[in-house]
Amino acid sequence: MKLVVVSAGLSAPSSTRLLGDRLAAAVDRHTPVDTQVIELRDLAVEIAHNFTNGFAGKNLAAAQEAVAGADGLIVVTPVFSASYSGLFKSFFDVLDKDALAGKPVLVAATGGTARHSLVLEHALRPLFAYLRAVVVPTAVYAASEDWGAEGLPERVERAAGELASLMPSAARPAVPVTPAAPVEPEEPVVVPFAERLAALSAG
């Protein structure tokens, strides 16, 4: 199965990419996946050109194709001004409108303080619901103080398990099913009307 991680981190290395990598590794522990990471900072210029000329450059087109063909998606953004970053939103604005329909998506975000954790519910979840994706119940937010602290590894594992369970079973080895033997219909039992009437009279 193919898993795609979309990371909108701007620095290298970034906590956003780190969170995406941890989530992908956790999904792979639940079910083997072939993981591809898309770093949006490398596509920023092509995304901007796509808005102005309507054409996707070579790298952007490959990223769009990878997302559309994924069996599952992990999306991670840093929090800017209490919402997802502009680069993050711009990438999903230039996707085909049906690219995420029915696709399982795990949403995640990073920020400097836990006060921004509601971005998962008031910004990310509605965005992917609008795109008709299937968003897993557990979203993951990592503030600066969460790294190395209790709680984050458990949330990562829970969310990864939910995503793995939603990824298409068609990509897993099929279990052969032996068809059941045909069952001959039983002959109906016909009770004469006189016997039915006698039974009613006796009652």
Side-chain angles (χ1 to χ4, degrees), residues 122-194:
H122 74 67
L124 283 167
R125 197 177 294 276
L127 170 63
F128 288 95
Y130 174 79
L131 294 172
R132 292 177 291 143
V134 179
V135 185
V136 304
T138 301
V140 180
Y141 179 83
S144 298
E145 63 268 22
D146 288 328
W147 299 103
E150 293 183 3
L152 180 59
E154 289 77 10
R155 296 197 303 275
V156 166
E157 288 295 333
R158 182 168 64 247
E162 292 169 354
L163 179 61
S165 69
L166 290 174
M167 292 174 74
S169 59
R172 299 168 189 163
V175 178
V177 178
T178 304
V183 178
E184 294 293 333
E186 296 182 0
E187 290 292 331
V189 178
V190 179
V191 180
F193 178 71

Side-chain angles (χ1 to χ4, degrees), residues 28-43:
D28 191 59
R29 286 192 291 271
H30 287 274
T31 184
V33 290
D34 179 18
T35 301
Q36 177 181 349
V37 178
I38 297 172
E39 290 273 15
L40 295 187
R41 63 187 176 85
D42 297 333
L43 301 174

Side-chain angles (χ1 to χ4, degrees), residues 5-202:
V5 179
V6 177
S7 170
L10 297 181
S11 59
S14 74
S15 59
T16 302
R17 171 63 187 270
L18 177 59
L19 181 57
D21 288 344
R22 288 196 179 184
L23 288 165
V27 171
D28 191 59
R29 286 192 291 271
H30 287 274
T31 184
V33 290
D34 179 18
T35 301
Q36 177 181 349
V37 178
I38 297 172
E39 290 273 15
L40 295 187
R41 63 187 176 85
D42 297 333
L43 301 174
V45 173
E46 290 191 25
I47 291 172
H49 286 168
N50 196 168
F51 277 111
T52 57
N53 62 26
F55 294 97
K58 177 182 177 182
N59 295 326
L60 176 57
Q64 291 171 327
E65 183 178 349
V67 168
D71 296 303
L73 200 63
I74 296 172
V75 298
V76 195
T77 179
V79 176
F80 291 158
S81 302
S83 188
Y84 37 65
S85 72
L87 178 60
F88 180 86
K89 178 62 161 57
S90 295
F91 175 72
F92 290 100
D93 283 343
V94 298
L95 283 182
D96 182 88
K97 62 182 179 65
D98 297 321
L100 300 186
K103 194 179 301 296
V105 176
L106 192 167
V107 297
T110 58
T113 171
R115 290 179 297 174
H116 290 307
S117 60
L118 286 177
V119 68
L120 296 167
E121 304 303 327
H122 74 67
L124 283 167
R125 197 177 294 276
L127 170 63
F128 288 95
Y130 174 79
L131 294 172
R132 292 177 291 143
V134 179
V135 185
V136 304
T138 301
V140 180
Y141 179 83
S144 298
E145 63 268 22
D146 288 328
W147 299 103
E150 293 183 3
L152 180 59
E154 289 77 10
R155 296 197 303 275
V156 166
E157 288 295 333
R158 182 168 64 247
E162 292 169 354
L163 179 61
S165 69
L166 290 174
M167 292 174 74
S169 59
R172 299 168 189 163
V175 178
V177 178
T178 304
V183 178
E184 294 293 333
E186 296 182 0
E187 290 292 331
V189 178
V190 179
V191 180
F193 178 71
E195 289 185 22
R196 289 180 178 272
L197 188 60
L200 289 173
S201 300

